[in-house]
Amino acid sequence: MKINKICCIGAGYVGGPTMAVIAKKNPNIEVTIVDINAERIAAWNDEDVSKLPIYEPGLAEIVAETRGRNLFFSTEIDKAIKESEMIFISVNTPTKTYGKGKGMAADLKYVELCARNIAEVATTDKIVVEKSTLPVRTAQAIKSILHNTGSDVNFEILSNPEFLAEGTAIQDLLHPDRVLIGGESESAIESLANIYGSWVNQDKILRTNVWSSELSKLTANAFLAQRISSINAISELCEHTEADVTEVARAIGMDSRIGSKFLNASIGFGGSCFQKDILNLVYIARSYGLNAVADYWEQVIILNDHQKRRFSDNLISALYNTVSGKKIAMLGWAFKKDTNDTRESAAIYVADHLLSEQANIAVYDPKVPAKKVYADLNYLETRSDSKNKDLVSTYNDPYDAVKDAHAIAIMTEWDEFKSYNWKRIFDSMKKPAFIFDGRNILDKNEIEKIGFEYSSIGK
Ligand code: UDX
Ligand code: ADP
């Protein structure tokens, strides 16, 4: 099928950057990204590209180049579906917060709504591409909904999981390690492979069956998350011995079978994918009665929760076993640097724990707005919105955030933190001035020379 028009449902962290790059590399294809969230679409259409709803290095430039040329943002979902030959489903699939599979299974209601919407309005044949992270066999469910519409429209379903990481999404899209396309129909697969073929070598475009494609995505994320939990487990052992986790990571990373990437010990992984995907894997394994498999992967999450908890416990015990009424400045709220995404960020859980110990928290993050900080805390439902507002303040200037603080907790590895005037910060804090470096980004010797009580992960 010749593709002239693409529609992407869901203008989020996946849909936005992916479609921007597809539009950039395929100027002859008209790409329309639609969303039910009118405010989000308005932000994507903001003339000032620095106001795009998501922050991602390099994205604003591509949007500036393609928007209005062959990239469009709209709330007219039905119209875009009707006009397109290819439809990407790129909506959110959070972990269920209710009913069967609560806290474990992916909530597929948004995906199902999309499928029903496509089924209702389509009048011509479509290739439907699942782009959201989904449990294995979701394509089957989408297929069943689409094929039972009673119309004679033909739908081909493809699985095309996204491997981009936030903060490096544009580079990951421009130079992917691989592109994975799962499907039954060779011609549908080739239609999508052609689109990627505009800038990706064909030998990097893998064709598989739908289920392998779906499971590969979950497995990739599970392996990556497992690496972090593995190094974080070793970090705790390092703290009780004379070993230094950075030296251990370097030593093992030089083994080409292990590799050097993704071995940074931290306060624990966050982000919208790792936890959700592992929970999905665990849920699926349990549903087949594969308890040993489920328990194995579940341990990755248990260790990650332990790492977050350990960080706040250590902070409290260093502050003479109480943080009540003390000001703790948190540098960073995003789940990693170079993104304004905060989903599952370790900062949220560490803050929540410290707030339950009656701490006052001051937050500074270069890209996360105040309302997101409060929304994240309110989502946990540990205390009321007004109580969160009483105890948590947010700052636009890091030097204001740390003034009179008893301790600083570094939650995100933003580069700018490294070049702060740490002497000035020390002078403005309560003494002894503590730093808990959850990302191991500061130079211990220099920081201690200034006079700080410094602790980091795995040292
Ligand atoms: C991840 C996958 O990398 C990506 O392929 C997939 O498409 C989506 O999920 P993302 O969650 O955006 O991407 O970021 P990633 O770089 O994987 O980081 C996830 C979390 O792990 C972050 O909180 C990060 O700080 C943490 N991390 C990462 C570590 O703690 N140590 C590391 O060595 C690497
Ligand atoms: P991701 O990281 O997977 O891209 P986001 O939450 O950033 O997740 O984006 C998903 C987007 O999908 C949101 O902007 C949401 O409003 C949109 N969305 C969810 N359901 C629908 C739907 N049925 N129709 C259109 N857009 C939807």
Side-chain angles (χ1 to χ4, degrees):
M1 192 190 277
K2 171 101 183 73
I3 308 298
N4 300 305
K5 287 191 179 186
I6 290 177
C7 156
C8 171
I9 309 180
Y13 285 90
V14 172
T18 310
M19 292 304 126
V21 169
I22 287 184
K24 175 182 164 71
K25 295 293 186 180
N26 292 276
N28 299 326
I29 299 180
E30 190 178 307
V31 180
T32 305
I33 312 184
V34 294
D35 203 294
I36 35 172
N37 183 338
E39 200 187 327
R40 210 168 206 190
I41 290 296
W44 279 110
N45 280 323
D46 200 303
E47 248 171 63
D48 178 358
V49 285
S50 71
K51 296 210 176 106
L52 296 183
I54 68 177
Y55 171 72
E56 193 57 72
L59 174 65
E61 291 80 352
I62 298 183
V63 170
E65 174 192 338
T66 51
R67 197 177 55 190
R69 181 188 78 185
N70 66 326
L71 179 66
F72 302 92
F73 296 90
S74 162
T75 50
E76 290 184 81
I77 302 177
D78 292 359
K79 178 168 178 279
I81 292 173
K82 231 182 235 157
E83 291 177 352
S84 308
E85 297 96 14
M86 184 176 273
I87 300 163
F88 287 80
I89 299 182
S90 193
V91 299
N92 37 334
T93 49
T95 302
K96 277 186 85 173
T97 52
Y98 57 90
K100 187 162 177 264
K102 178 179 168 181
M104 298 293 287
D107 193 339
L108 296 179
K109 71 175 173 203
Y110 305 108
V111 172
E112 183 174 337
L113 280 171
C114 280
R116 291 190 186 281
N117 199 354
I118 296 168
E120 249 168 55
V121 303
T123 51
T124 53
D125 294 354
K126 312 279 179 205
I127 297 171
V128 176
V129 186
E130 51 167 42
K131 192 91 205 152
S132 313
T133 301
L134 298 165
V136 185
R137 297 201 173 272
T138 309
Q140 198 60 38
I142 297 177
K143 190 169 160 184
S144 156
I145 292 168
L146 292 174
H147 286 182
N148 286 298
T149 57
S151 72
D152 50 9
V153 172
N154 181 44
F155 295 104
E156 289 297 344
I157 291 96
L158 298 178
S159 158
N160 173 219
E162 190 49 74
F163 295 107
L164 63 80
E166 287 174 30
T168 52
I170 299 300
Q171 287 310 314
D172 295 343
L173 283 160
L174 289 173
H175 311 286
D177 288 340
R178 79 307 205 183
V179 168
L180 184 54
I181 304 176
E184 282 171 2
S185 147
E186 204 176 309
S187 76
I189 292 175
E190 292 316 311
S191 298
L192 183 55
N194 272 337
I195 292 171
Y196 284 107
S198 306
W199 79 97
V200 181
N201 253 335
Q202 282 298 331
D203 58 8
K204 284 194 172 177
I205 304 180
L206 304 182
R207 286 94 163 152
T208 66
N209 73 33
V210 174
W211 298 286
S212 298
S213 169
E214 290 178 325
L215 187 56
S216 300
K217 166 73 189 214
L218 294 191
T219 307
N221 277 344
F223 269 58
L224 290 168
Q226 180 204 42
R227 263 175 95 85
I228 302 170
S229 280
S230 297
I231 199 71
N232 281 343
I234 299 301
S235 79
E236 187 171 14
L237 193 52
C238 287
E239 286 166 30
H240 287 83
T241 59
E242 242 73 304
D244 175 328
V245 76
T246 311
E247 291 178 356
V248 174
R250 182 152 176 264
I252 64 165
M254 283 172 79
D255 184 326
S256 60
R257 293 167 303 175
I258 296 175
S260 61
K261 293 180 185 161
F262 249 71
L263 285 177
N264 292 323
S266 67
I267 28 165
F269 59 77
S272 70
C273 284
F274 283 173
Q275 172 156 319
K276 184 182 77 179
D277 285 356
I278 293 180
L279 287 173
N280 259 325
L281 204 56
V282 171
Y283 185 74
I284 296 164
R286 283 219 200 287
S287 70
Y288 287 111
L290 309 178
N291 287 322
V293 177
D295 292 346
Y296 175 76
W297 287 109
E298 193 163 29
Q299 199 58 37
V300 173
I301 293 185
I302 293 172
L303 201 288
N304 196 49
D305 289 339
H306 171 69
Q307 189 77 351
K308 293 181 263 188
R309 186 69 187 201
R310 206 163 79 65
F311 182 83
S312 39
D313 280 341
N314 286 345
L315 188 152
I316 295 164
S317 71
L319 267 67
Y320 317 105
N321 285 321
T322 176
V323 287
S324 178
K326 291 181 181 167
K327 178 175 176 183
I328 314 292
M330 284 193 161
L331 295 183
W333 190 262
F335 82 97
K336 62 187 282 196
K337 73 171 180 178
D338 291 340
T339 179
N340 62 348
D341 195 351
T342 63
R343 284 177 288 181
E344 291 301 328
S345 178
I348 304 169
Y349 297 95
V350 170
D352 188 56
H353 182 198
L354 297 177
L355 290 170
S356 295
E357 295 285 331
Q358 304 179 347
N360 292 310
I361 307 255
V363 180
Y364 167 77
D365 186 288
K367 290 287 174 196
V368 177
K371 70 171 188 206
K372 229 174 191 177
V373 172
Y374 295 115
D376 288 337
L377 288 169
N378 290 343
Y379 184 77
L380 298 181
E381 294 182 351
T382 313
R383 63 194 73 70
S384 67
D385 175 43
S386 66
K387 191 77 189 154
N388 279 329
K389 291 215 166 95
D390 276 353
L391 294 174
V392 181
S393 43
T394 61
Y395 293 83
N396 294 323
D397 180 334
Y399 294 95
D400 292 340
V402 299
K403 189 169 179 299
D404 292 326
H406 293 76
I408 291 174
I410 298 180
M411 310 308 291
T412 313
E413 72 283 22
W414 286 102
D415 289 334
E416 66 172 60
F417 297 165
K418 295 182 204 164
S419 55
Y420 285 173
N421 182 340
W422 286 98
K423 172 77 175 80
R424 179 180 158 198
I425 290 175
F426 178 77
D427 290 341
S428 75
M429 285 174 66
K430 290 253 191 310
K431 307 295 173 329
F434 290 88
I435 295 182
F436 300 88
D437 185 349
R439 298 292 188 160
N440 292 354
I441 56 170
L442 299 183
D443 183 323
K444 179 179 158 67
N445 288 336
E446 271 177 32
I447 287 293
E448 286 184 339
K449 226 192 287 160
I450 295 172
F452 284 106
E453 297 288 326
Y454 176 76
S455 45
S456 54
I457 307 281
K459 293 179 194 253

